[in-house]
Amino acid sequence: MTWTNAFPADRFPSGSDAFPHKHLLGIGGLQTWEILYILKEAEHWVALNRSGAAKHDDRLSGLTIINAFFENSTRTLLSFEIAGKRLGADVINMHAAQSSVKKGETLIDTAMTLNAMRADAIVIRHASSGAVQLISSKVDCPVLNAGDGSHEHPTQALLDALTIMRRRGKIEGQTVVICGDVLHSRVARSNLFCLKSLGSEVRVVAPPALMPAGIEAFGAVPFSNFDEALDGADVVMMLRLQNERMQGDFIPSPREYFHLYGLDERRLALAKPDALVMHPGPMNRGVEIASSVADHVERSAITEQVEMGVAVRMACLDILTRRARRVEGWA
Amino acid sequence: MSGISLVGGHVILPGQEKAEALHLHVEDGKIASVGKAAPLAEQLDASGLIIAPGIIDLGVFKTDKPAFRFGGITRAALMPDQLPVHDDPATVRYAALKGKPDFWVHPLAAATRDLAGLHMAEIALMKEAGAVGVATGRHWIADSGIMLRIMRYCAALGMPVIVHSEDAGLAGNAVATAGETATLLGLASSSPITEALAIARDLLLAEESGAHVHFRQVTTARGLDLIRGAKAKGLRVTCGITPGHLFLSDNAVSDFRTFARLSPPLRSDDDRLACVAAVADGTIDVIASGHDPRGPEDKRLPYSEAAPGMAGAETLLALTLNLVRDETISTGRLFELLATNPAKILGLKAGQISEGFEADLILIDPDAPWQVDGDRMAALAGNTPFNKLPVQGRVRQMLKGGKVLQTRRP
């Protein structure tokens, strides 16, 4: 069963009612059917991306998309850039290192500047929670959150959901274990909101110092013991552990972290025999995940996540620019 | 010099719950008499109004006269967190003179040089320059040794020590209280015991040193329990709070509203209710505005980069009158919290309507409705988390040292 059969297109409202938001700031503000709508649209782009040499669709031709990354990124930036270009848009990348941000310009002034350049969509990553929402309130065009501090990273959660949907056939009823630095992870938050919205059971595993307060209120079941959490898991989602958290402030050492929270073959055997391994990247091999697991041909979905990322971002850029492009039912 | 009579109003007298219909005579800048005696030649019609002592705002961050005038504040204790820091007799003397004659600033001296928490400032010299108390500023002093020495020094000088209560280690870079809202928004947060831990230490040091310690803001149930216990034990400690923590809980931060970023951060609703209960049972001695006007350059930023603080001078009276309306406290008690107790803590002969006291008076229409509007405030900036809130209670006239000041029309 493919998921597109399970959620046929006629289930969605028509026109802009299918996705009535101007921006994509987080999963937290989305309805279940809005999430499903993006995933359905992304399926179309997966097919195009796999179609061979000419992976092009020019519907965003003439539109300017600015990728404003105030925090370093390789794969997310590349993924958004490819997504925009495959849709025919003019994509400009702005790196914080090259920008006037370093010269003391405020975030609002930078936002106003980007706005004055008449961008048709702005993709933003910023190290501070809430920064993307702040910018979105000051610009006229759609804003896509590519990660803000420890708050949200919605396209990551959408690409993860699409990966699970395709690999497991469904999301509802799946037991997903999210393990790592949940406290500081925007990926964990967005995935939690997304997966709960789509009907999964979500277990979060973290060292005590890296478990956020009150996470149960959002439907997560917290564990401090990874082995226990893995029992009956359909999906194991590992989070990246930032180097600066490993020097004794939050956990004693990378070695001790791997001992308690690293995913190796012994641990993976505790999950369901066909359980899926995921990681948002970039991986710290040997710190949170063993190479033998990360590279496991049948179990690891890590490269597929990257592939789905382009498709999901194409869907988001397409949907959010429909008003500006005066697509019928959206203008 | 002939005096002036305030006639037809209801006067709040010390120890009384309700205002009484009495005439009040002012002479030579002092309260001459209160009673039924015939009024003097010059009269001020106070009919329909409550005559209360001018508010003494313990712990503001800016001298903001238009906002204080609007809010019925006749004196304010100015925090040492200024540019430059009040760690020197000259800056203290300047601050003390700045508001006169129509407004009195009572500077608080920095406990440590540059408020760095490391070396004692020239506290005695600053006292002679006009400082009425010593404050740790926006932060807690982490070094217990220096804190004890400061308290001992201040005990000998007879100065209150006004402390901020957040354990530095637990607080870290937190901008929110640990809980659902902080987790939802992905904000760095710390446990509410961050406050109680700091209070516990400072209570032990207060007992050891014999200093009068005033905890400027106590905002958690655990912290208030410690204060309650210390008072029962007979320690010379007092504590305060601002309306932010009495009327808002941490969900006001939703959508990253930087105007609701306060220091300490807003707490859970359970803690908020514990604060209201502590006002009712007398554990809390002072309600202050914490007035800290901040423009867009400080507030129109990502949440964790925005400066904490709210412009509170204009809304202090109207918001706290809600405590009277909902019968948490009496009118008389409210003015103990707003004026009498702050004056006692700072050692000022003011803050109550008694013969011989400074005639700092406000005439209040307690039911006058108005709406808080951050865009039209008298303050230096409109950073109020109570924006658009309908409130009741306006100051109609203000007397400073017996002189009638012009007040802003509604």
Side-chain angles (χ1 to χ4, degrees):
Chain A
M1 181 184 75
T2 67
W3 79 273
T4 36
N5 292 335
F7 299 96
D10 58 18
R11 268 190 56 168
F12 295 103
S14 64
S16 62
D17 289 345
F19 196 82
H21 306 277
K22 183 179 177 188
H23 309 292
L24 179 66
L25 301 177
I27 300 294
L30 301 183
Q31 303 291 331
T32 304
W33 49 269
E34 292 166 357
I35 296 170
L36 289 170
Y37 181 72
I38 298 176
L39 299 181
K40 178 192 79 96
E41 292 283 301
E43 276 287 359
H44 171 71
W45 300 114
V46 174
L48 178 89
N49 290 339
R50 287 183 173 179
S51 64
K55 298 180 276 289
H56 228 273
D57 179 296
D58 281 327
R59 64 181 63 192
L60 265 57
S61 174
L63 267 58
T64 305
I65 297 172
I66 300 179
N67 293 326
F69 277 56
F70 299 89
E71 190 184 66
N72 285 335
S73 159
T74 307
R75 73 183 58 211
T76 305
L77 176 60
L78 202 56
S79 184
F80 268 109
E81 182 173 2
I82 290 170
K85 286 184 170 163
R86 285 208 181 140
L87 293 171
D90 299 318
V91 181
I92 291 103
N93 294 335
M94 190 195 90
H95 302 275
Q98 306 163 355
S99 80
S100 53
V101 174
K102 290 261 158 153
K103 299 175 191 161
E105 185 177 74
T106 69
L107 190 58
I108 293 287
D109 289 334
T110 307
M112 305 285 236
T113 304
L114 297 179
N115 195 47
M117 292 175 184
R118 305 270 176 208
D120 298 292
I122 305 178
V123 179
I124 300 164
R125 168 167 289 192
H126 197 281
S128 206
S129 301
V132 177
Q133 184 176 324
L134 179 67
I135 294 175
S136 75
S137 68
K138 303 290 171 190
V139 300
D140 301 317
C141 69
V143 167
L144 289 86
N145 184 357
D148 63 325
S150 306
H151 179 223
E152 282 234 40
H153 190 355
T155 55
Q156 179 71 44
L158 292 167
L159 73 88
D160 286 340
L162 185 59
T163 306
I164 295 171
M165 199 87 105
R166 292 172 61 95
R167 287 287 288 260
R168 305 287 303 175
K170 60 177 180 175
I171 293 186
E172 195 170 347
Q174 296 282 296
T175 297
V176 182
V177 177
I178 302 176
C179 176
D181 181 0
V182 179
L183 180 65
H184 298 101
S185 176
R186 53 197 175 211
V187 174
R189 276 176 186 73
S190 288
N191 261 308
L192 171 58
F193 303 149
C194 186
L195 292 167
K196 287 308 293 183
S197 182
L198 299 178
S200 299
E201 180 191 333
V202 180
R203 302 174 183 170
V204 290
V205 187
L210 295 172
M211 181 72 85
I215 190 84
E216 306 88 335
F218 306 101
V221 185
F223 284 82
S224 59
N225 185 313
F226 194 13
D227 289 6
E228 288 172 14
L230 285 167
D231 183 41
D234 295 288
V235 178
V236 186
M237 201 178 269
M238 301 303 294
L239 301 172
R240 177 180 163 76
L241 188 68
Q242 305 280 340
N243 280 316
E244 60 268 26
R245 318 247 194 253
M246 288 185 241
Q247 308 307 323
D249 286 353
F250 289 91
I251 53 163
S253 68
R255 181 170 75 164
E256 185 156 315
Y257 183 79
F258 188 76
H259 180 68
L260 291 177
Y261 300 101
L263 186 64
D264 56 13
E265 289 183 66
R266 179 194 70 79
R267 281 222 169 86
L268 186 55
L270 300 172
K272 281 190 182 164
D274 58 348
L276 206 59
V277 174
M278 299 174 73
H279 193 297
M283 287 183 281
N284 292 310
R285 289 172 183 263
V287 175
E288 69 251 355
I289 191 163
S291 285
S292 59
V293 173
D295 302 331
H296 198 293
V297 179
E298 292 109 48
R299 309 288 291 278
S300 170
I302 295 170
T303 51
E304 192 170 339
Q305 288 174 270
V306 178
E307 184 190 358
M308 294 306 118
V310 175
V312 156
R313 286 163 185 136
M314 289 170 83
C316 293
L317 288 170
D318 171 33
I319 292 168
L320 289 174
T321 54
R322 282 181 194 167
R323 276 180 200 83
R325 289 185 285 120
R326 304 193 177 282
V327 173
E328 198 188 336
W330 291 75
Chain B
M1 179 182 159
S2 63
I4 181 169
S5 286
L6 279 55
V7 298
H10 285 68
V11 181
I12 296 175
L13 294 174
Q16 301 296 311
E17 291 206 343
K18 286 195 171 129
E20 292 177 52
L22 295 167
H23 300 314
L24 190 155
H25 307 306
V26 173
E27 263 176 357
D28 294 331
K30 302 272 195 286
I31 295 164
S33 70
V34 185
K36 308 271 187 201
L40 304 172
E42 192 185 345
Q43 297 184 8
L44 183 65
D45 182 14
S47 45
L49 303 177
I50 289 178
I51 302 172
I55 294 171
I56 301 176
D57 198 350
L58 208 176
V60 301
F61 290 89
K62 274 275 189 304
T63 301
D64 188 354
K65 278 161 74 170
F68 294 149
R69 182 75 64 83
F70 186 102
I73 297 162
T74 50
R75 297 166 185 249
L78 181 66
M79 292 294 283
D81 313 64
Q82 307 294 323
L83 277 175
V85 168
H86 287 180
D87 60 356
D88 174 276
T91 51
V92 166
R93 190 171 293 116
Y94 173 73
L97 293 172
K98 202 177 167 193
K100 285 181 179 177
D102 53 344
F103 183 80
W104 281 18
V105 175
H106 298 286
L108 299 172
T112 56
R113 271 184 246 161
D114 207 27
L115 287 169
L118 299 173
H119 308 288
M120 277 171 76
E122 293 171 323
I123 293 169
L125 291 178
M126 287 192 277
K127 185 186 181 192
E128 285 176 24
V132 292
V134 171
T136 65
R138 294 181 191 275
H139 300 286
W140 190 66
I141 291 177
D143 184 329
S144 307
I146 189 82
M147 195 65 214
L148 177 60
R149 292 192 286 278
I150 288 164
M151 285 195 196
R152 282 187 167 143
Y153 205 72
C154 291
L157 290 168
M159 294 176 90
V161 184
I162 293 156
V163 297
H164 180 86
S165 306
E166 277 184 291
D167 178 86
L170 280 188
N173 61 352
V175 297
T177 305
E180 284 174 29
T181 301
T183 294
L184 175 66
L185 299 178
L187 295 174
S189 63
S190 72
S191 160
I193 69 157
T194 304
E195 177 177 283
L197 190 61
I199 290 173
R201 185 204 70 174
D202 286 341
L203 285 173
L204 288 170
L205 298 181
E207 188 172 7
E208 178 79 7
S209 64
H212 172 195
V213 177
H214 176 70
F215 297 85
R216 193 168 66 85
Q217 299 180 86
V218 183
T219 60
T220 61
R222 297 285 287 277
L224 289 161
D225 283 344
L226 291 170
I227 301 283
R228 212 172 267 128
K231 285 185 165 187
K233 211 168 148 187
L235 287 191
R236 209 165 149 235
V237 296
T238 49
C239 73
I241 195 165
T242 70
H245 289 95
L246 282 174
F247 299 111
L248 299 174
S249 51
D250 62 355
N251 58 19
V253 169
S254 302
D255 272 337
F256 301 99
R257 286 186 204 111
T258 57
F259 283 7
R261 180 166 178 209
L262 305 179
S263 172
L266 288 171
R267 308 298 190 185
S268 71
D269 210 47
D270 288 344
D271 275 330
R272 183 187 76 79
L273 292 170
C275 293
V276 175
V279 168
D281 73 14
T283 304
I284 290 177
D285 305 278
V286 172
I287 306 179
S289 73
H291 190 61
D292 197 359
R294 294 280 187 172
E297 64 282 5
D298 287 327
K299 285 290 190 182
R300 210 168 59 172
L301 294 169
Y303 192 84
S304 56
E305 293 162 32
M310 63 169 274
E314 286 161 87
T315 50
L316 175 62
L317 177 64
L319 288 170
T320 51
L321 277 168
N322 284 331
L323 296 168
V324 176
R325 252 174 243 118
D326 67 16
E327 298 180 350
T328 303
I329 51 173
S330 66
T331 311
R333 175 67 186 156
L334 176 60
F335 285 91
E336 287 177 15
L337 291 158
L338 292 174
T340 316
N341 290 345
K344 283 181 182 161
I345 291 165
L346 300 172
L348 309 172
K349 197 178 178 188
Q352 63 186 65
I353 298 181
S354 299
E355 282 175 27
F357 273 63
E358 193 81 17
D360 295 351
L361 302 167
I362 50 178
L363 278 57
I364 304 163
D365 179 349
D367 298 317
W370 58 287
Q371 189 178 33
V372 180
D373 185 348
D375 295 330
R376 296 178 56 204
M377 277 170 53
L380 293 166
N383 54 311
T384 172
F386 296 102
N387 198 24
K388 304 299 173 199
L389 187 76
V391 291
Q392 278 178 276
R394 281 293 300 268
V395 174
R396 295 299 186 203
Q397 290 281 6
M398 190 158 162
L399 283 80
K400 176 78 192 100
K403 284 208 167 60
V404 179
L405 305 176
Q406 292 296 319
T407 43
R408 226 173 79 134
R409 290 286 104 199

